[in-house]
Amino acid sequence: MSWLGRNRLKRPVSGRADRTSRGCILKRAGNLFEKVFSKENLYQAYLDARKGKRKKKACYRFTVNLGANLKSLHDEIHAGTYHPQPYFEFTVHEPKERKIYAPAFRDIVVQHAIYRHIYPIFNRTFIDQTYACRKGGGTHKASDYTQAALQTSDPESYVLKLDVCKFFYSIPRKILCGLFARKVKDTSLLRVMAMFVDMPGDVGIPIGNLLSQLYALICLNPVDHFIKRVLKVKKYVRYVDDMVLIGLTRAQCVEYRAQIGEFLRGNLGLLYSHTSISRVKRGVNFVGYRTWAGVRLIRKYSLQKFRRSVVCSKLKSVVSLIGHAKDTASLTYMFRIIIGLNPLLFNRLPQSHKKRWMLCQSLQQINRQQNTVAC
């Protein structure tokens, strides 16, 4: 019997509970439907959904008849007649081709209503080292942890990097809904939650839903606990479907790669896209950064995109990429690109970015002085 099977709970009844990795006992959450889809929570969900979208037509149309639209949602959900509207589908090509499913605004409101109540329930079960789509997480935090782990590891030890093949398109929905039921016993809420995983075929969830981000976390949560609790890996970090294990021997890398692959296939029906084993001293390419113990750089692809954005005076893209590189050694080089290729664009940068340039200049001056004294 698999590890997940041995630890899977029988269908709980009154008084039974689920055990988390920390040894505490958490009962399955019930009586959530009325709280999630109350008029008050739907209004708060609307406020969350409209952030950054006030100028969008769909948001404006919903807001014009706000009271009637919220009442319609409330009544449909409680009558059991609610169904999400068809997605608006489009394809993006950066950094690789993905099909995006954009939900209607009213369905975004429903997703926010669900998210507000179920995120805290599931977040308690996640390990601290999974950083995607979590409050207080993000790529910078994931990269910080990775660099700290590299710094405290033997340079001759190894890094095992794993990636799930076509993750969002391969998630088995039946297994995912089973993971929902391990924490939520309200069948009416589970029915609505399952509406946002529906796609053609038996596997895959739509990229573009707010809830898809949380569902992805829930799907690979058993893998995190397998790696931490069964394999006892101390330095481990995950971002969506990218997993990095740090400070291992080569034999451990080979063994753990096989065991984790077997766990993914046997319990979640997922396969590797690619894997790599390399020495700690060679660093790791993860969450958009090339990271070593002593230095961090953004990827070459990001630098190429930055150069194109500077030449084309795409201010938003330039500002975003500078923010992405704020704690890396690439920042000074990026400012030199701006000044060399498009000096007028530099004057349009936010004041905070200009201060970063001045700080870079100051640090360089200090380093030159220290080198002079040393010589």
Side-chain angles (χ1 to χ4, degrees):
M1 187 179 293
S2 69
W3 179 87
L4 183 60
R6 289 196 304 270
N7 288 271
R8 182 179 291 134
L9 296 170
K10 295 178 181 178
R11 187 166 298 278
V13 295
S14 176
R16 293 190 182 177
D18 188 8
R19 295 183 180 273
T20 69
S21 62
R22 294 171 183 168
C24 58
I25 297 178
L26 296 174
K27 292 183 178 180
R28 290 201 308 162
N31 302 317
L32 288 174
F33 184 84
E34 293 298 331
K35 296 177 183 177
V36 170
F37 299 118
S38 66
K39 293 179 180 178
E40 295 79 8
N41 194 56
L42 284 171
Y43 176 70
Q44 290 299 321
Y46 156 74
L47 296 179
D48 292 340
R50 78 175 185 180
K51 289 178 181 177
K53 296 185 177 68
R54 288 193 176 193
K55 295 182 180 180
K56 301 288 185 181
K57 287 183 179 179
C59 179
Y60 174 76
R61 290 170 181 165
F62 191 91
T63 304
V64 168
N65 296 305
L66 179 60
N69 285 327
L70 289 178
K71 185 177 185 303
S72 175
L73 273 180
H74 177 271
D75 293 347
E76 287 178 33
I77 292 169
H78 283 77
T81 58
Y82 168 79
H83 290 283
Q85 294 180 356
Y87 293 102
F88 173 72
E89 301 178 17
F90 61 96
T91 302
V92 298
H93 299 275
E94 289 190 14
K96 57 186 177 181
E97 185 173 309
R98 287 190 180 93
K99 192 169 186 179
I100 306 299
Y101 298 81
F105 186 80
R106 73 194 304 263
D107 299 323
I108 298 176
V109 172
V110 175
Q111 290 187 57
H112 273 281
I114 297 171
Y115 185 89
R116 284 170 55 82
H117 280 271
I118 70 166
Y119 173 82
I121 295 170
F122 285 97
N123 189 55
R124 291 195 295 268
T125 71
F126 300 148
I127 66 170
D128 293 337
Q129 293 77 34
T130 178
Y131 290 96
C133 309
R134 294 182 70 185
K135 297 173 183 177
T139 56
H140 288 108
K141 291 290 182 65
S143 184
D144 289 343
Y145 176 88
T146 303
Q147 188 167 45
L150 292 172
Q151 290 169 347
T152 56
S153 299
D154 182 348
E156 297 299 323
S157 62
Y158 288 84
V159 174
L160 172 62
K161 190 168 182 289
L162 309 171
D163 182 18
V164 177
C165 180
K166 297 182 178 179
F167 175 51
F168 280 91
Y169 303 115
S170 303
I171 294 175
R173 293 196 289 272
K174 186 175 181 180
I175 293 175
L176 181 62
C177 290
L179 292 173
F180 296 162
R182 292 179 67 188
K183 287 296 173 188
V184 177
K185 64 181 178 182
D186 193 320
T187 55
S188 297
L189 176 58
L190 289 170
R191 180 179 60 82
V192 181
M193 289 173 62
M195 291 180 182
F196 295 102
V197 302
D198 193 25
M199 282 181 69
D202 297 326
V203 298
I205 63 175
I207 299 176
N209 278 333
L210 167 72
L211 288 176
S212 292
Q213 302 170 4
L214 178 58
Y215 291 174
L217 278 170
I218 294 169
C219 181
L220 287 185
N221 190 40
V223 183
D224 294 337
H225 288 286
F226 175 73
I227 293 171
K228 296 291 287 185
R229 297 167 61 187
V230 179
L231 301 183
K232 307 291 185 183
V233 177
K234 292 182 179 179
K235 299 172 185 176
Y236 164 71
V237 57
R238 176 168 69 87
Y239 196 90
V240 191
D241 62 322
D242 290 331
M243 296 168 274
V244 180
L245 295 73
I246 302 170
L248 308 176
T249 65
R250 184 169 183 83
Q252 284 177 321
C253 288
V254 174
E255 180 186 352
Y256 293 169
R257 178 173 60 185
Q259 290 189 38
I260 296 168
E262 182 181 352
F263 184 93
L264 284 168
R265 287 191 302 273
N267 294 286
L268 300 172
L270 300 172
L271 301 172
Y272 289 140
S273 171
H274 66 268
T275 68
S276 66
I277 298 173
S278 59
R279 291 191 188 273
V280 163
K281 65 183 180 182
R282 294 185 60 186
V284 60
N285 197 341
F286 182 55
V287 292
Y289 299 97
R290 293 177 291 157
T291 305
W292 293 264
V295 68
R296 196 184 318 174
L297 303 172
I298 64 172
R299 288 176 177 169
K300 291 181 181 179
Y301 169 82
S302 298
L303 282 175
Q304 293 167 356
K305 182 179 178 181
F306 178 79
R307 181 182 286 271
R308 291 195 298 268
S309 297
V310 169
V311 171
C312 298
S313 297
K314 295 181 179 179
L315 182 61
K316 287 185 178 180
S317 178
V318 168
V319 170
S320 175
L321 286 166
I322 289 176
H324 175 60
K326 66 178 181 178
D327 295 322
T328 73
S330 301
L331 193 59
T332 301
Y333 176 70
M334 293 168 73
F335 278 118
R336 288 176 180 170
I337 290 176
I338 297 176
I339 293 171
L341 296 180
N342 195 343
L344 293 177
L345 184 63
F346 181 84
N347 296 327
R348 296 168 58 195
L349 292 177
Q351 194 62 32
S352 59
H353 285 45
K354 294 177 182 177
K355 288 181 179 179
R356 281 184 186 146
W357 166 240
M358 294 173 63
L359 179 60
C360 290
Q361 292 287 84
S362 300
L363 291 174
Q364 281 189 325
Q365 182 66 26
I366 292 171
N367 289 335
R368 282 196 293 267
Q369 291 174 354
Q370 288 176 344
N371 292 335
T372 302
V373 171
C375 293

